[in-house]
């Protein structure tokens, strides 16, 4: 007997209908076997966390959930706290690295000592025995990747370190960690990084030394055959048949496995299936339509709130009317064809379209667009838009949707009504 939400839907736990895709799963396993850092990327709800849950046990890794306020020191501290070490005392310090002031923590750390008899004698000045185990205390700067690497080697650390939501970190922190990854690799301390973006070599743009040193695993695209396998896996578990509506659901989800899973789940609910059905039941188009309506309401309310927050901008002074680029960008996006949006909107195209409708068209300069686009994800995170909806792909100079549910929303909502209901900025 299985519950419907164990078989279909989006969950932090591994669901029963997870399917392995050779191009994705084998690449991930290759990264594990070759002892390389692994970068898993793609839009939200496309299976990044499920991939790690499928192939790793909890004992295989230490996980750190990144947030917009996280620093490298926060991340390193979190890693150390999850290990069998004891920080006896710590002191905040400031050092100069490459001409820049860096804040760190000099910590006196108590760790198990795994040496033999000779080694134990060498360390006797700074070691002590407790319950048959030998411990020693060493000073480390927990803000430095090399010190943290040395500490991890001291405690015989042999797990992977997973950084979830890497995209939430400020760009300077992402750059620093991209540099630190090279240091960690020298000590065979290996990371798995999960992030919401769609371009290749994101971290290599921050540190060219990572080229050929990491394995990148894109979780997209999802092929129609892959989505069909999900319903085939679910058939014997819930005793429900999606054959008659499979193409309809696939066309409705726009290659988003998260949306596909949720529509399958809600279709079962609308058919009265909350757990394994006693008899084979065929899901109807009416069941799917009710599921689509349910998910449109769920996604729609969130995305409308996110767009309202995204366009909100206040003038710095009563005499100044800002350019309101986010507002005009949103109007251009909502007015554009669905096909062009899925391809990605080019930077030059966005600027030209904004100038056509802008209240100060002559003031919309390339530098204004550059600043807006470079900070596109950061500005969304600051406004608590989680996950972010848009990202700027530097390699193709285009804006892409990175929240897979937003395509579903755009295709099914009344876009004119959404535009009309957007709050017009002050002064326009």
């Amino acid at each position: 007997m299985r519950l419907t939400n164990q078989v279909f839907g989006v969950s932090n736990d591994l669901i029963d209908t997870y399917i392995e895709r050779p191009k994705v799963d084998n690449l991930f396993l290759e990264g594990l076997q070759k002892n390389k850092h692994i970068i898993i990327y793609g839009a939200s709800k496309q299976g990044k966390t499920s991939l790690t849950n499928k192939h790793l046990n909890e004992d295989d890794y230490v996980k750190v959930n990144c947030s917009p306020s996280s620093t490298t020191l926060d991340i390193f501290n979190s890693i150390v706290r999850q290990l069998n070490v004891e920080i006896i005392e710590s002191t905040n310090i400031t050092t100069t690295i490459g001409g820049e002031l860096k804040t760190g923590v000099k910590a006196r750390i108590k760790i198990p000592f795994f040496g033999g008899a000779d080694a134990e004698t060498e360390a006797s000045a700074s070691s002590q025995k407790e319950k048959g185990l030998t411990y020693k205390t060493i000073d480390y700067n927990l803000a430095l990747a090399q010190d943290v690497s040395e500490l991890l080697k001291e405690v015989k650390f042999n797990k992977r370190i997973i950084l979830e939501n890497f995209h939430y970190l400020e760009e300077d922190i992402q750059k620093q960690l991209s540099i630190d990854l090279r240091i960690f690799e020298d000590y065979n301390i290996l990371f798995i990084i999960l992030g919401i973006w769609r371009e290749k070599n994101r971290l290599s743009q921050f540190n060219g030394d990572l080229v050929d040193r990491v394995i990148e695993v894109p979780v997209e695209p999802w092929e129609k055959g892959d989505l069909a396998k999900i319903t085939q896996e679910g058939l014997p578990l819930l005793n429900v048949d999606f054959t008659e509506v499979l193409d309809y659901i696939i066309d409705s989800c726009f290659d988003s496995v998260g949306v596909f899973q949720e529509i399958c789940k809600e279709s079962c609910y609308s058919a009265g299936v909350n757990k394994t059905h006693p008899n084979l039941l065929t899901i109807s188009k009416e069941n799917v339509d009710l599921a689509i309506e349910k998910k449109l309401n769920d996604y729609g309310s969130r995305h409308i709130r996110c767009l309202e927050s995204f366009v909100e901008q206040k003038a710095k002074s009563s005499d100044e009317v800002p350019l309101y680029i986010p507002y005009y960008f949103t109007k251009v996006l909502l007015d554009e064809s669905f096909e062009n949006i899925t391809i990605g909107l080019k930077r030059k195209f966005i600027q030209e379209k904004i100038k056509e409708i802008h209240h100060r068209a002559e003031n919309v300069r390339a530098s204004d667009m550059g600043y807006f686009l470079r900070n596109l994800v950061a500005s969304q995170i600051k406004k608590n838009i989680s996950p972010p909806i848009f990202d700027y792909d530097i390699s193709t100079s285009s804006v892409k949707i990175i929240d897979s549910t937003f395509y579903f929303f755009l295709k099914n909502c009344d876009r004119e009504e959404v535009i009309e209901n957007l709050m017009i900025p002050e002064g326009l």
Side-chain angles (χ1 to χ4, degrees):
M1 182 71 67
R2 302 300 292 165
L3 298 177
T4 296
N5 62 2
Q6 294 174 317
V7 178
F8 294 122
V10 174
S11 172
N12 288 328
D13 298 321
L14 191 66
I15 58 172
D16 295 338
T17 51
Y18 179 93
I19 62 162
E20 294 193 29
R21 296 175 291 160
K23 291 181 180 178
V24 177
D25 293 73
N26 289 354
L27 192 56
F28 178 75
L29 292 173
E30 180 184 340
L32 294 177
Q33 294 165 0
K34 289 187 174 180
N35 289 332
K36 288 192 173 186
H37 297 304
I38 301 173
I39 315 297
I40 307 174
Y41 68 96
S44 65
K45 299 180 178 65
Q46 290 288 61
K48 294 181 290 297
T49 301
S50 294
L51 179 63
T52 60
N53 288 343
K54 174 65 177 179
H55 298 291
L56 293 173
N57 298 317
E58 287 189 15
D59 292 338
D60 296 329
Y61 59 83
V62 168
K63 180 182 289 187
V64 180
N65 285 292
C66 302
S67 73
S69 61
S70 296
T71 65
T72 53
L73 179 58
D74 295 329
I75 291 170
F76 296 161
N77 266 325
S78 177
I79 295 169
V80 171
R81 280 197 303 269
Q82 297 179 61
L83 305 178
N84 184 28
V85 299
E86 179 183 345
I87 299 178
I88 300 173
E89 60 180 346
S90 62
T91 306
N92 292 329
I93 61 173
T94 302
T95 56
T96 301
I97 301 176
E100 294 184 15
L101 292 177
K102 300 287 185 180
T103 301
V105 173
K106 186 176 182 180
R108 183 170 293 274
I109 296 177
K110 177 181 173 183
I111 59 175
F113 186 60
F114 296 100
D118 294 338
E120 182 176 331
T121 302
E122 286 181 20
S124 61
S126 60
S127 66
Q128 54 184 308
K129 288 187 175 181
E130 291 182 12
K131 298 180 180 179
L133 292 177
T134 301
Y135 292 85
K136 64 179 178 179
T137 57
I138 308 177
D139 290 340
Y140 290 99
N141 184 345
L142 296 183
L144 298 181
Q146 181 166 335
D147 280 32
V148 175
S149 298
E150 292 172 358
L151 169 59
L152 296 180
K153 297 305 288 185
E154 283 279 357
V155 298
K156 311 299 182 185
F157 181 78
N158 60 356
K159 301 181 180 183
R160 288 276 180 160
I161 300 172
I162 297 179
L163 298 186
E164 282 264 18
N165 299 321
F166 190 82
H167 52 279
Y168 283 158
L169 299 173
E170 291 187 359
E171 186 171 293
D172 287 345
I173 305 300
Q174 294 184 28
K175 289 180 180 178
Q176 183 60 55
L177 285 169
S178 298
I179 295 170
D180 290 343
L181 286 177
R182 178 69 182 86
I183 299 172
F184 282 112
E185 185 198 30
D186 287 341
Y187 290 84
N188 201 33
I189 305 297
L190 301 173
F191 284 69
I192 299 173
I193 292 176
L194 281 64
I196 296 178
W197 57 79
R198 282 183 152 168
E199 80 234 53
K200 297 178 181 178
N201 302 319
R202 170 68 73 95
L203 270 64
S204 298
Q205 293 172 17
F206 297 143
N207 179 14
D209 205 23
L210 290 180
V211 175
D212 298 327
R213 296 182 183 276
V214 301
I215 284 186
E216 294 197 317
V217 183
V219 293
E220 301 174 283
W222 278 83
E223 305 291 342
K224 288 188 176 181
D226 296 327
L227 298 175
K229 288 179 183 178
I230 290 174
T231 58
Q232 293 168 9
E233 291 289 326
L235 173 60
L237 297 173
L238 289 179
N239 217 8
V240 291
D241 184 3
F242 282 88
T243 304
E244 294 182 4
V245 293
L246 179 59
D247 289 339
Y248 181 46
I249 298 176
I250 291 175
D251 290 340
S252 301
C253 76
F254 310 108
D255 301 327
S256 168
V257 68
V259 174
F260 182 84
Q261 285 277 8
E262 283 294 305
I263 291 178
C264 287
K265 181 185 73 175
E266 294 297 339
S267 296
C268 290
Y269 286 155
S270 67
V273 179
N274 298 311
K275 58 184 179 182
T276 304
H277 202 265
N279 304 304
L280 181 64
L281 186 145
T282 299
I283 299 297
S284 68
K285 184 176 180 297
E286 181 181 1
N287 298 142
V288 177
D289 286 336
L290 289 172
I292 291 174
E293 182 180 356
K294 169 68 165 56
K295 296 316 298 180
L296 180 59
N297 289 334
D298 291 345
Y299 297 146
S301 58
R302 174 188 174 263
H303 287 313
I304 288 172
R305 287 196 304 271
C306 289
L307 290 177
E308 290 173 345
S309 177
F310 180 67
V311 304
E312 185 180 5
Q313 182 179 353
K314 295 181 179 180
K316 295 181 180 179
S317 68
S318 58
D319 298 328
E320 177 188 13
V321 178
L323 289 176
Y324 293 125
I325 298 295
Y327 170 74
Y328 286 105
F329 164 79
T330 303
K331 288 193 68 174
V332 168
L333 177 80
L334 291 174
D335 196 44
E336 194 52 46
S337 70
F338 188 78
E339 291 72 20
N340 287 347
I341 293 173
T342 55
I343 296 171
L345 302 182
K346 293 287 187 179
R347 169 177 172 164
K348 185 176 181 181
F349 173 84
I350 296 171
Q351 183 177 356
E352 291 173 349
K353 284 292 185 180
I354 287 178
K355 291 181 74 169
E356 289 177 8
I357 59 175
H358 202 276
H359 66 285
R360 286 163 46 196
E362 69 282 358
N363 294 121
V364 181
R365 301 163 298 180
S367 58
D368 298 312
M369 291 303 305
Y371 179 82
F372 166 70
L373 294 173
R374 284 194 303 272
N375 292 280
L376 192 55
V377 170
S379 62
Q380 293 172 81
I381 291 173
K382 286 179 180 178
K383 294 186 175 183
N384 297 318
I385 298 174
S386 173
I389 299 173
F390 324 106
D391 186 26
Y392 180 60
D393 185 339
I394 297 176
S395 62
T396 61
S397 298
S398 58
V399 173
K400 295 182 178 179
I401 306 299
I402 55 174
D403 183 335
S404 62
T405 66
F406 194 71
Y407 286 119
F408 178 84
F409 167 71
L410 282 180
K411 192 66 175 180
N412 290 283
C413 73
D414 184 339
R415 287 204 247 170
E416 289 187 6
E417 182 180 342
V418 174
I419 292 175
E420 289 175 0
N421 289 334
L422 281 180
M423 182 175 295
I424 298 175
E426 191 177 319
L428 294 185

